[in-house]
Amino acid sequence: LAKTTQPISMDSYEGQEVNITCSHNNIATNDYITWYQQFPSQGPRFIIQGYKTKVTNEVASLFIPADRKSSTLSLPRVSLSDTAVYYCLVARGFNAGNMLTFGGGTRLMVKP
Amino acid sequence: AAGVIQSPRHLIKEKRETATLKCYPIPRHDTVYWYQQGPGQDPQFLISFYEKMQSDKGSIPDRFSAQQFSDYHSELNMSSLELGDSALYFCASSSSGMVNNEQFFGPGTRLTVL
């Protein structure tokens, strides 16, 4: 699986848009980019998944350039409750049943 | 909506003892995963099962074993516990009928080995 690299930490303020970029230079053709959120002492929670271009759901957007060597998770108008660790993962295939490999996530701190 | 259930939520054991962690997946989910998260560390994949068969194996020690039963619940058996086994153990489940890699995680079992 492709190794991912993302910032160790980021700070933001309530109401701002936060963009977290992840690099995955060795991504394979059938790999998908998936983002999870984790609060302290809780299990990770799925945020969004994409293959290329842009994907948007009710909580976030995911931007993936044509070369797919990086991706950007965009959180619009963050609140204090968005303070968490965000993991970028590259997962084999698009079907369920694939293990998740968590690398170093980005610790986002949202300040009032 | 029903979530993944794990029991017990907290467990304290002595070194060299055994422990069994249980996981009840979301109804109609056929795949179960186990992850270990040590203090200040990222979750590490241990093992997974699909339709009661082992599907993937990660960094699970030989002292640990797991299985998935006919009702799809899973148990992680840990023997000869070591201090380093102290961690949060998460179970996650998913359905093979899903079109993405979304895994639903349980609340975890916090294991403390003294």
Side-chain angles (χ1 to χ4, degrees):
Chain A
L1 289 174
K3 177 178 165 51
T4 60
T5 304
Q6 52 185 118
I8 294 175
S9 64
M10 294 181 68
D11 288 343
S12 184
Y13 291 92
E14 281 190 292
Q16 288 189 332
E17 178 184 75
V18 170
N19 295 307
I20 307 174
T21 297
C22 175
S23 68
H24 25 78
N25 292 318
N26 297 320
I27 191 168
T29 302
N30 61 346
D31 286 341
Y32 282 75
I33 298 117
T34 309
W35 286 79
Y36 276 76
Q37 173 194 56
Q38 187 178 28
F39 298 112
S41 297
Q42 294 186 27
R45 184 174 72 101
F46 174 91
I47 301 174
I48 198 165
Q49 177 175 282
Y51 184 80
K52 61 181 179 182
T53 64
K54 177 182 175 182
V55 179
T56 297
N57 62 21
E58 62 276 9
V59 298
S61 294
L62 179 59
F63 300 91
I64 306 168
D67 67 5
R68 303 200 330 120
K69 294 183 183 300
S70 67
S71 60
T72 299
L73 174 72
S74 181
L75 305 172
R77 296 182 298 282
V78 294
S79 63
L80 296 177
S81 62
D82 292 317
T83 293
V85 177
Y86 292 82
Y87 289 99
C88 165
L89 302 95
V90 171
R92 296 171 299 178
F94 195 61
N95 295 323
N98 294 315
M99 66 180 196
L100 300 177
T101 301
F102 291 85
T106 297
R107 190 172 301 274
L108 173 66
M109 173 69 73
V110 180
K111 303 174 183 179
Chain B
V4 175
I5 297 172
Q6 291 187 246
S7 68
R9 294 292 310 279
H10 301 271
L11 191 58
I12 299 175
K13 290 287 185 177
E14 299 277 345
K15 277 171 46 179
R16 292 179 288 278
E17 285 191 323
T18 62
T20 297
L21 309 186
K22 297 184 178 183
C23 169
Y24 298 86
I26 291 172
R28 291 180 294 281
H29 280 194
D30 49 20
T31 307
V32 169
Y33 315 78
W34 286 97
Y35 294 84
Q36 176 193 58
Q37 187 169 26
Q41 298 181 3
D42 304 316
Q44 296 296 314
F45 170 76
L46 293 178
I47 196 167
S48 62
F49 294 87
Y50 167 67
E51 286 290 344
K52 291 149 283 184
M53 298 290 290
Q54 180 182 305
S55 53
D56 267 323
K57 190 173 184 180
S59 52
I60 184 169
D62 292 340
R63 300 177 288 108
F64 294 4
S65 65
Q67 58 181 322
Q68 185 180 31
F69 295 86
S70 58
D71 63 352
Y72 295 103
H73 94 271
S74 178
E75 295 184 3
L76 177 66
N77 299 293
M78 312 160 72
S79 62
S80 302
L81 287 170
E82 302 173 356
L83 296 179
D85 296 329
S86 295
L88 260 172
Y89 290 83
F90 291 108
C91 171
S93 73
S94 69
S95 168
S96 58
M98 295 170 62
V99 295
N100 61 23
N101 280 304
E102 181 171 4
Q103 294 182 17
F104 295 81
F105 283 76
T109 293
R110 184 174 295 279
L111 172 66
T112 302
V113 181
L114 302 176

